[in-house]
Coordinates of all heavy atoms in Angstrom, one line a residue:
I372 N 93.3 123.9 83.3 CA 94.7 123.7 82.8 C 95.2 122.4 83.3 O 95.1 122.0 84.4 CB 95.5 124.9 83.4 CG1 95.1 126.2 82.8 CG2 97.0 124.6 83.1 CD1 96.0 127.4 83.2
K384 N 106.9 101.9 82.5 CA 107.7 102.9 83.2 C 107.1 103.1 84.5 O 107.8 103.5 85.5 CB 107.8 104.2 82.4 CG 108.6 104.0 81.1 CD 108.8 105.4 80.4 CE 109.7 105.2 79.2 NZ 109.9 106.6 78.5
I466 N 89.0 113.4 86.5 CA 90.0 114.3 87.0 C 91.4 113.8 86.6 O 92.3 114.5 86.2 CB 89.9 114.4 88.6 CG1 88.6 115.1 89.0 CG2 91.1 115.1 89.2 CD1 88.3 115.1 90.4
P488 N 75.4 134.1 95.7 CA 75.7 133.9 97.1 C 75.4 132.5 97.5 O 74.5 131.8 97.0 CB 74.6 134.9 97.8 CG 74.4 135.9 96.7 CD 74.5 135.2 95.4
R493 N 81.6 131.2 95.3 CA 81.5 132.4 96.1 C 82.0 132.2 97.5 O 82.7 133.0 98.1 CB 80.0 132.9 96.1 CG 79.8 134.2 96.8 CD 80.3 135.4 96.0 NE 79.7 136.6 96.6 CZ 78.6 137.2 96.3 NH1 77.8 136.6 95.3 NH2 78.2 138.3 96.8
D510 N 103.2 123.8 97.1 CA 104.4 123.4 96.5 C 104.2 122.3 95.5 O 103.2 121.5 95.6 CB 105.4 122.9 97.6 CG 105.9 124.0 98.5 OD1 105.8 125.1 98.1 OD2 106.3 123.7 99.6
Q607 N 81.7 122.4 90.1 CA 80.8 122.6 91.2 C 80.7 124.1 91.6 O 79.9 124.4 92.5 CB 81.2 121.8 92.4 CG 81.4 120.3 92.2 CD 80.0 119.6 92.0 OE1 79.0 120.1 92.5 NE2 80.0 118.5 91.3

Side-chain angles (χ1 to χ4, degrees):
I372 293 182
K384 289 186 178 180
I466 292 171
R493 184 75 166 270
D510 294 336
Q607 302 290 333

